């Protein structure tokens, strides 16, 4: 049995179409949407609406962790526009293309920049969406928890720690634990390019210690200090920033 795993697709539908080649199934750990590409400021919903110069400025502010200034700057740009309608329209265009690229079967959960309310409209019969749920794939039990935790970035699908922990607890015993964000371990949470710690989950780290799955798979941190780490009996793997690599991580058994 061979499964390919991707995360942080961020608009890369071209490589997503090939991500399942040679595999029995594809797993996607979220962040399909590309709102703003921090490596190429001309790509994404934000520069499409406001231009590259404004994208340069908001990236500069966020990278400097001047989040309140970045929020005020963004609010000035949005003044007079229907923000929700503009974003939803752009997200719908991306989702139509990205969900069409998923092979059959695909098992997917949400990232912190995704809009879960729209997924039922675009997920085809071959795509199974899971959040706080488990599924048997080739004799192994895979558990899925989507979304991210609260941050100053205020991305669309951030939830409180208690809700996240409850979804983890609902999984029970699993062989492979699939989440968008990493466990709260510094080396797994630090982004070496953004030069900041992303939020990991303490509840996820506790689940790894108590449930002892064979694997814990996640994304979210695009350029992590450590891509793999063993925690007790569990191999923890950042499956990569698929938007830039275009290459899935493979699990065989």
């Amino acid at each position: 049995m061979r499964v390919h795993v991707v995360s942080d697709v961020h608009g890369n539908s071209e490589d997503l179409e090939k991500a399942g080649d040679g595999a029995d199934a594809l797993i996607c750990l979220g962040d399909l949407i590309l709102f703003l590409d921090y490596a190429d400021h001309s790509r994404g919903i934000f520069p499409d609406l406001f231009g590259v110069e404004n994208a340069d400025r908001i990236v500069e502010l966020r990278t400097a962790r001047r989040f309140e200034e970045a929020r005020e700057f963004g609010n000035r740009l949005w003044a007079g526009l229907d923000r929700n309608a503009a974003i939803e329209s752009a997200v719908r265009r991306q989702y139509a293309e990205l969900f069409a690229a998923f092979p059959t079967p695909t098992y997917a959960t949400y990232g912190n920049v995704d809009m879960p309310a729209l997924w039922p409209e675009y997920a085809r019969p071959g795509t199974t969406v899971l959040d706080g749920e488990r599924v048997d794939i080739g004799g192994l039990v895979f558990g899925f928890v989507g979304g991210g935790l609260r941050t100053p970035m205020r991305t669309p699908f951030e939830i409180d720690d208690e809700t996240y922990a409850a979804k983890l607890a609902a999984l029970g015993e699993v062989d492979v634990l699939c989440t968008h964000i990493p466990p709260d371990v510094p080396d797994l949470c630090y982004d070496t390019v953004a030069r900041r710690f992303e939020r990991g989950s303490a509840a996820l780290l506790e689940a790894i210690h108590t449930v002892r799955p064979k694997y814990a798979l996640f994304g979210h941190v695009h350029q992590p200090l450590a891509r793999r780490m063993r925690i007790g009996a569990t191999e923890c793997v950042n499956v990569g920033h698929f938007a830039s690599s275009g290459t899935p991580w493979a699990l065989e058994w």
Side-chain angles (χ1 to χ4, degrees):
M1 187 76 181
R2 181 182 176 94
V3 169
H4 287 176
V5 190
V6 301
S7 185
D8 300 271
V9 176
H10 293 302
N12 188 353
S13 59
E14 182 178 352
D15 288 321
L16 189 61
E17 287 183 338
K18 302 173 286 187
D21 290 355
D24 297 292
L26 178 72
I27 290 174
C28 179
L29 302 183
D31 273 10
L32 298 182
I33 295 169
L34 179 60
F35 190 76
L36 176 57
D37 189 331
Y38 278 61
D40 180 354
H41 303 169
S42 68
R43 299 181 63 244
I45 294 170
F46 189 91
D48 286 350
L49 290 169
F50 301 117
V52 176
E53 287 188 7
N54 286 322
D56 291 340
R57 177 59 177 160
I58 205 160
V59 168
E60 178 187 3
L61 291 171
R62 287 178 175 176
T63 302
R65 303 186 65 80
R66 293 156 62 184
F67 296 116
E68 194 57 43
E69 289 180 66
R71 194 168 296 115
E72 291 172 0
F73 177 70
N75 287 340
R76 290 196 297 272
L77 293 175
W78 283 106
L81 299 176
D82 187 335
R83 171 185 277 193
N84 291 338
I87 290 177
E88 182 174 322
S89 177
V91 168
R92 284 183 176 278
R93 289 194 296 272
Q94 289 191 16
Y95 275 166
E97 185 175 340
L98 289 158
F99 276 91
F102 278 144
T104 297
T106 291
Y107 302 90
T109 196
Y110 318 113
N112 61 293
V113 302
D114 283 312
M115 298 176 68
L118 299 181
W119 280 38
E121 296 182 44
Y122 296 96
R124 299 179 301 174
T127 298
T128 303
V129 180
L130 301 130
D131 186 20
E133 299 163 283
R134 350 173 328 146
V135 65
D136 185 297
I137 305 174
L140 293 183
V141 178
F142 287 70
F144 291 78
V145 173
L149 297 175
R150 306 281 188 207
T151 72
M153 300 287 283
R154 299 184 186 177
T155 51
F157 192 46
E158 294 181 352
I159 59 179
D160 60 72
D161 291 56
E162 293 75 18
T163 302
Y164 194 88
K167 291 197 292 184
L168 279 166
L171 297 178
E173 299 291 324
V174 297
D175 299 303
V176 185
L177 188 48
C178 298
T179 59
H180 177 67
I181 61 174
D184 189 16
V185 177
D187 284 2
L188 298 175
C189 294
Y190 187 73
D191 191 306
T192 60
V193 175
R195 293 178 295 178
R196 67 168 181 259
F197 288 97
E198 302 289 354
R199 275 212 70 186
S201 168
L204 175 55
L205 180 58
E206 182 179 351
I208 289 169
H209 282 298
T210 56
V211 176
R212 296 168 59 85
K214 291 179 171 64
Y215 291 93
L217 309 180
F218 49 87
H220 187 55
V221 184
H222 293 176
Q223 296 89 198
L225 189 61
R227 292 197 176 275
R228 299 180 74 118
M229 177 182 293
R230 194 156 193 88
I231 299 176
T234 303
E235 186 72 16
C236 300
V237 184
N238 183 317
V239 300
H241 182 205
F242 187 76
S244 62
S245 73
T247 303
W249 185 79
L251 175 61
E252 291 188 88
W253 67 97

